Amino acid sequence: MRFDVPEIPAGAAALRAELRAFLAEAGRDWTPAVRARSWMGFDRAFSREVGARGWIGMVWPREYGGQARSGLERAVVLEEMLAAGAPVGAHWIADRQSGPLLLRLGREEQKRRLLPAIARGELAFCIGLSEPEAGSDLAALRTRAERVRGGWKLNGRKIWTTFAHLSDYMIALVRTSPPPEGGSRHLGLSQFLVDLRASGISIRPIRDLLGEESFNEVTFDEVLLPEEALLGREGAGWAQATSELAFERSGPDRILSSFPALAEGMDALRDAPGAAPVLGRLVARLATLRQMSLSLAAMLERGEDPAREAALLKDLGNSFEQALPEALRGLLDPEEMPPGLRALLDDLVQLSPTFSLRGGTREILRGIIARDLGLR
Ligand SMILES: Cc1cc2nc3c(=O)[nH]c(=O)nc-3n(C[C@H](O)[C@H](O)[C@H](O)COP(=O)(O)OP(=O)(O)OC[C@H]3O[C@@H](n4cnc5c(N)ncnc54)[C@H](O)[C@@H]3O)c2cc1C
C-alpha cells in the first residue's frame, strides 16, 4: 500500500474561507446534538442550500449538474462541513457514492435526470447492502430480482438501511441468479436503482439505543422494476459494489465524526492538568489520517480502485474517532466542563460505538488489510 501526499490546489484556500463564512452563518443555531450527528443529521433545506452553492457533485462534469472541480477541492468542502458538524446527511450518500456510481454505470437518461437533482441537493439516496442474515458475510444475501416481461420483480428484505424512510432512491445489491454449483457466491449478484415510491416496498424505521430512528428495515414484496433499473452489468454486482466501498470508506467522514469536540476542547481544555500531551497526540494522529484521506481522494480522482487503502484508513480513522471523546472526557470533571462541550461529548460517547460498524466492521476491514499484507 502506498499513500502519496498530494498538494492541495492553490484555489482551495479561497474556497475554504468561503465555506467557513457560510458555515459560521448557517450553523449559528446548531445545537451540540446536531453537531454531534453531522453526516447522520438529515436536513433537506440545508442540503438545498449547499447544492445551490455548487458544493454537491462538484467533481462531476457540468453537463450532469457538476462543477468539474478537483477531488481535492471537494475534500476541502467535506472537511469544512464535518469540522463544523453540519447536518449533511440528506445529500451525503448520493454525493459520496451513489452519484459517482450512476456517473460510471447509469444510462444516459438516468444521468441527465438524476445527477443534476442530486447536485441541487434535492435527491436523497440510501445503501441497500445488509440483510438480516447477511451483514459482514454480504454474499449470503437473499433478496432476489427475477426477469419478468418489461423488467424485474424484486422480493426480499434489507436491514439497517440508513435514511431509507427519508430517501428517494436506494441502490440495492441483490441476487439475479443462483451461484454456480461449487462456484463463487460473488457471481450472480446485480445492482439495481430502486425508486422507493414503487408499490410493494414497506419501510419500517428501527429505533436505536438513543431512541432515534435513522436506520430501517425495508421489505420488497413483488416490487416491479423497469428494465433500466438494472445498474451496470447483470451479474457484475459484486465487483461494482465493492468498488463503491472505496468511495464509502475513504473520505474524511471516517476520521472527523468527533472533530467538533476536538475543536471546542482545544480552547476549553488546554489548561486542564495533563491536557497538552493528550491534545497534542490527538492532533498528530489526525494530521496523519488527514494526509491519508487526501491521498485517497487523489487516487479516486485518478480512477484507481484503492479498496485496501480505504479499509486501512477507515479502521485507523474509526479508532481515532472513537478514542477522541473518551480522551477529552478524561481531562476534566464533567461538572467543570463548558455545557456545550459536555453535551457534545455525552452524545459522541453514545454514538461512537456505531462508527466501527457502519460501512464494514473493524474485524472485516482488518481481514482485508491482512490479506493485502499476505498474512492470510
Ligand atoms: C449506524 C449504522 C448504519 C448502517 N447503515 C447501513 C446502510 O445504510 N446500509 C447497509 O446496507 N447497512 C448499513 N449498516 C449495517 C452494517 O454495514 C452492518 O451492521 C455491518 O456490516 C455488520 O453486519 P452485521 O450487523 O450483520 O453483523 P455481523 O456480520 O453479524 O457481525 C457481528 C460481529 O462479528 C464479527 N464478524 C463477522 N464475521 C467475521 C469474520 N469473518 N471474522 C471476524 N469477525 C467477524 C463482526 O466484525 C462483528 O463484530 C449500518 C450499521 C450501523 C451500525
Side-chain angles (χ1 to χ4, degrees):
M1 285 191 217
R2 198 185 152 86
F3 290 89
D4 293 320
V5 180
E7 288 284 320
I8 301 250
L15 176 62
R16 200 180 285 285
E18 194 188 337
L19 273 144
R20 288 192 180 172
F22 165 72
L23 288 164
E25 179 63 25
R28 266 195 328 235
D29 299 326
W30 292 337
T31 61
V34 170
R35 291 194 298 130
R37 276 152 193 78
S38 190
W39 60 281
M40 292 299 288
F42 195 98
D43 181 340
R44 282 201 189 248
F46 179 69
S47 289
R48 277 195 292 273
E49 276 190 57
V50 175
R53 284 169 171 75
W55 292 331
I56 303 176
M58 63 189 284
V59 298
W60 306 342
R62 289 183 186 281
E63 60 191 300
Y64 300 123
Q67 305 289 326
R69 307 282 290 258
S70 75
L72 291 171
E73 288 174 298
R74 175 172 177 265
V76 167
V77 172
L78 303 186
E79 281 183 352
E80 291 302 323
M81 292 284 170
L82 295 166
V88 288
H91 66 267
W92 200 253
I93 290 170
D95 179 56
R96 180 182 71 187
Q97 64 196 88
S98 319
L101 194 80
L102 281 169
L103 191 60
R104 193 152 53 89
L105 302 170
R107 298 179 186 218
E108 194 54 31
E109 181 280 324
Q110 289 168 330
K111 294 201 275 193
R112 293 200 179 272
R113 181 166 47 91
L114 299 175
L115 292 173
I118 293 175
R120 290 194 299 270
E122 292 170 2
L123 284 186
F125 276 62
C126 60
I127 306 166
L129 293 175
S130 307
E131 297 189 7
E133 303 302 325
S136 302
D137 185 16
L138 185 59
L141 60 81
R142 291 207 293 241
T143 297
R144 63 189 191 287
E146 297 164 56
R147 271 193 184 282
V148 290
R149 194 130 63 102
W152 301 85
K153 194 168 65 185
L154 187 61
N155 278 290
R157 196 150 53 109
K158 294 287 173 186
I159 200 164
W160 314 127
T161 322
T162 299
F163 298 144
H165 59 316
L166 302 172
S167 292
D168 304 287
Y169 289 93
M170 171 193 284
I171 292 184
L173 182 68
V174 311
R175 189 157 281 293
T176 40
S177 58
E181 190 79 20
S184 167
R185 292 178 307 152
H186 299 164
L187 299 173
L189 298 171
S190 305
Q191 280 186 305
F192 284 86
L193 173 68
V194 181
D195 184 336
L196 292 171
R197 291 166 307 183
S199 74
I201 300 182
S202 39
I203 301 176
R204 183 179 68 85
I206 302 172
R207 186 157 296 180
D208 64 22
L209 281 175
L210 292 173
E212 295 172 2
E213 294 177 347
S214 67
F215 45 33
N216 300 267
E217 180 184 55
V218 182
T219 307
F220 305 108
D221 182 13
E222 306 278 283
V223 178
L224 287 174
L225 300 176
E227 182 62 49
E228 59 273 17
L230 175 69
L231 256 187
R233 214 161 38 79
E234 182 181 348
W238 183 263
Q240 290 174 198
T242 47
S243 74
E244 187 186 335
L245 286 176
F247 287 94
E248 183 173 348
R249 292 174 174 163
S250 62
D253 41 350
R254 301 305 180 180
I255 57 181
L256 289 177
S257 304
S258 305
F259 182 85
L262 182 60
E264 235 166 83
M266 291 300 279
D267 285 335
L269 303 175
R270 60 166 17 118
D271 296 326
V278 173
L279 295 174
R281 251 181 247 121
L282 288 172
V283 172
R285 268 172 87 180
L286 178 58
T288 309
L289 291 166
R290 175 170 184 254
Q291 302 283 43
M292 291 173 73
S293 175
L294 290 175
S295 175
L296 272 154
M299 289 185 220
L300 287 169
E301 186 162 37
R302 291 195 296 268
E304 296 169 21
D305 181 14
R308 293 165 312 206
E309 289 84 351
L312 181 64
L313 176 78
K314 181 176 181 298
D315 182 40
L316 294 173
N318 289 163
S319 300
F320 171 76
E321 313 180 303
Q322 286 178 329
L324 195 155
E326 285 297 350
L328 296 187
R329 264 159 57 109
L331 289 177
L332 206 60
D333 187 318
E335 301 301 323
E336 292 173 39
M337 279 208 191
L341 177 59
R342 184 176 166 185
L344 201 50
L345 289 174
D346 283 352
D347 269 10
L348 283 169
V349 164
Q350 296 180 76
L351 290 164
S352 60
T354 67
F355 297 170
S356 56
L357 299 174
R358 59 187 188 188
T361 67
R362 172 167 286 136
E363 290 74 18
I364 295 306
L365 298 173
R366 290 187 179 175
I368 296 169
I369 298 161
R371 198 175 306 118
D372 188 65
L373 296 174
L375 299 174
R376 64 189 281 252

